[in-house]
Amino acid sequence: MGRERGTGAGGRRPAGPRLFLLAGSFLITLGSFAVLPYMSVLLHQRLGLGLGTVGAVLAVASLVQFSGGVVGAALAQRIGLRSTMLVALAVRTAGFAAFLPGLDRPAVAVGALFLVSCGAALYLPANKAYLVAGADEAERPRLLSASGSAFNAGIALGPPAAAPFVLGSPGVLFAGVTVLFAVVGLGHAVLLPAVPVTGPAPAGGPDAPAARPGEGVLPFTVTVVSVYVFMFFQHYLALYAVPRTSASFYGVVLMAYACLLVIVQPALSRWIAGLSYRRAMRVGFGAMAAGTAVTGLGGHAGIGAGAALICLGEIVLFLKNDLEALARSSAAPAVVFGRQRLAAGIGAFASGVIGGQLYGAAEGAGMERGFWLAVSLQCLVLPVLLIPLARRGYAGFRTRSGDGLPAGPAGAGGARFGGGAARGAGGGG
C-alpha cells in the first residue's frame, strides 16, 4: 500500500480532526484502563494463575506495548498514519473481544492481553504523529500536552468506572469495552482525513542540511532514565502507601495525580517548551528527587506531597523529551515517537527488574524508607552524568545567523541550549 494522500505538505488542517483525535484518545484510554489495571486480579483470582506467572505475563505484555512502537512507526511509514491507527484499533478490538471466551480459559486470556498490547504499540506513534502533522513548531507543545491530558483523563476515570464490574460481571465489562473500541475505530475511519506521513518539509527547503548521525541519542537516553526513575513510583507506591495509610487514600492519591496531569501540563506547556534541555532536566529530575525523598517520610502528608512533586517531574520531563526528540530528528514524527516508546519500554523494564530486587531487599531489612532515598539519589546522580552529553549534543545545533554553523534538523529556528527556547522541528520532524 502506498502512503496516504491528504492536505498536502505544509497544509493546515481543520481543528475538527484533531479534536476528534483528542476525544478518541480519552475514550481509548478510558476503555483500556477500565481493564488493564485489574489484569493481575483477573489472571490470579479468577483464572488461578500463580503470581510469578502473572508477573511474567504482565512484564512481557508491557515490553511488547512499549517496544512495539518501533514496529508501529515502520507500519505508518508504509501504509500511512490513519491506516495504521485503523489496523491498531482493529487489533485492540479483537483483543478485548477475545477476553470474553478467555474468562474461563487462561491461555485465551493471555493471548487476548498480548493482542491488546500489540494494538497499543501500533497505535500511539501514529496517533501522536497525526496530531502534529502540519502543525508549526509553536503549536506542538500545546498539541502534545493536550494529548497527554486526554490520555491521563482516561487513566483517571477508567479504573473507578470499571470497579463494580471487574469481579462480579467481567463479561459485561469486556463486552462494553469491545463496543467502545469498535465505535472509536469507526470514527477514525469516517472522521479523519488522510495526511502525509512525513508532514511538511523542514524549514530551509529540500536542500536543507541532513540530520547528523546520532541526532536523537540524547532525548532517547533521557527518556530511558526519566521512565526508569518514574516507574519506581508507579510500581511500588501501592506496596509502600497502603499499609501506612489506606487503600482508599491511595486511590485518592492516584485520582489527584491524574487530575494534576490533566490540568497542569497544558498550562505549563509553553513554559516547558521555552526551557533549555539542561534546565528542564534540572527541574524535572529535581522534582522527582524531592518527591521520592518526601514520599519516604511516609504518612498522608509525605505520600501526598511526594506524589505532587513527582507529578511535576513527569510533566516537565515527558513533554520536553518528546519536543526535543522531534527537534533533533529529520525522521518522520511517527518514527520519532516509535523510538521514544522504545526508550520508555527499556526504562520501564529496567525499573521493574532493578526495583523488584531493591524493594525486596529494603522490605526484608525493614528499611522501606531507604528504598525511596535510593531512588532520590538516582534522580540526582543520573542527570549529572547526562548534562555534559546535553552540552556536547547541542554544540552543533545553532541557527545560521550569528555563528555561521549550519542549521540543525529543527530548521531555521534551531534548538538552542543555554538561554533560548528549545524549539520543535519546523514540520516533518
Side-chain angles (χ1 to χ4, degrees):
M1 296 178 65
R3 291 188 180 182
E4 295 168 0
R5 298 173 179 264
T7 56
R12 289 296 192 100
R13 288 184 290 118
R18 285 194 176 118
L19 290 175
F20 169 78
L21 200 63
L22 292 172
S25 298
F26 165 72
L27 292 174
I28 286 169
T29 315
L30 177 71
S32 297
F33 276 78
V35 171
L36 298 180
Y38 300 107
M39 284 310 304
S40 60
V41 175
L42 289 168
L43 293 175
H44 178 58
Q45 293 188 11
R46 183 180 180 90
L47 296 174
L49 297 182
L51 286 176
T53 302
V54 170
V57 167
L58 295 180
V60 174
S62 297
L63 188 61
V64 168
Q65 181 170 332
F66 281 107
S67 61
V70 175
V71 178
L75 184 63
Q77 289 293 101
R78 183 168 183 82
I79 69 173
L81 300 175
R82 183 183 65 174
S83 297
T84 300
M85 287 190 284
L86 291 174
V87 170
L89 289 170
V91 171
R92 295 190 86 179
T93 302
F96 285 116
F99 273 113
L100 291 169
L103 289 174
D104 298 311
R105 303 178 207 171
V108 176
V110 171
L113 177 60
F114 285 128
L115 271 179
V116 170
S117 298
C118 288
L122 296 176
Y123 183 80
L124 193 60
N127 171 282
K128 284 190 172 183
Y130 191 100
L131 194 65
V132 302
D136 59 41
E137 57 184 305
E139 290 183 286
R140 287 182 167 181
R142 177 179 59 83
L143 291 171
L144 290 176
S145 64
S147 176
S149 291
F151 279 110
N152 282 300
I155 291 172
L157 296 177
F165 305 98
V166 172
L167 292 177
S169 305
V172 173
L173 174 62
F174 284 114
V177 172
T178 300
V179 171
L180 175 64
F181 269 81
V183 170
V184 172
L186 180 62
H188 278 63
V190 173
L191 299 177
L192 294 185
V195 301
V197 176
T198 56
D207 297 325
R212 301 183 176 202
E215 61 189 6
V217 169
L218 182 63
F220 185 93
T221 304
V222 178
T223 299
V224 170
V225 177
S226 300
V227 175
Y228 167 77
V229 296
F230 169 75
M231 292 304 288
F232 285 110
F233 169 81
Q234 186 82 356
H235 284 150
Y236 302 107
L237 181 63
L239 292 175
Y240 180 77
V242 172
R244 290 164 178 79
T245 56
S246 67
S248 60
F249 178 76
Y250 173 67
V252 169
V253 168
L254 292 187
M255 179 75 75
Y257 190 101
C259 291
L260 277 176
L261 286 172
V262 170
I263 296 168
V264 175
Q265 189 173 69
L268 295 183
S269 62
R270 289 178 63 86
W271 173 71
I272 294 169
L275 293 174
S276 68
Y277 206 6
R278 178 169 62 179
R279 185 171 296 245
M281 283 192 282
R282 285 176 172 171
V283 172
F285 284 114
M288 285 195 174
T292 49
V294 170
T295 298
L297 297 177
H300 294 77
I303 292 170
L309 287 166
I310 292 168
C311 182
L312 174 62
E314 178 187 351
I315 287 169
V316 173
L317 287 173
F318 287 20
L319 177 58
K320 190 64 173 180
N321 288 338
D322 277 354
L323 292 173
E324 286 294 320
L326 285 170
R328 289 165 167 264
S329 179
S330 60
V335 174
V336 173
F337 291 126
R339 292 170 183 164
Q340 289 296 97
R341 290 286 288 177
L342 175 60
I346 293 171
F349 187 78
S351 182
V353 172
I354 296 172
Q357 299 297 322
L358 188 59
Y359 195 89
E363 186 177 52
M367 298 177 60
E368 291 92 337
R369 292 183 176 182
F371 169 84
W372 297 105
L373 179 59
V375 176
S376 179
L377 290 174
Q378 290 183 80
C379 293
L380 294 174
V381 170
L382 291 174
V384 172
L385 301 177
L386 289 171
I387 286 173
L389 293 177
R391 187 179 295 113
R392 289 197 295 272
Y394 267 107
F397 288 83
R398 295 287 189 263
T399 60
R400 287 188 175 89
S401 60
D403 57 13
L405 293 175
R416 303 186 193 182
F417 182 67
R423 300 177 179 175

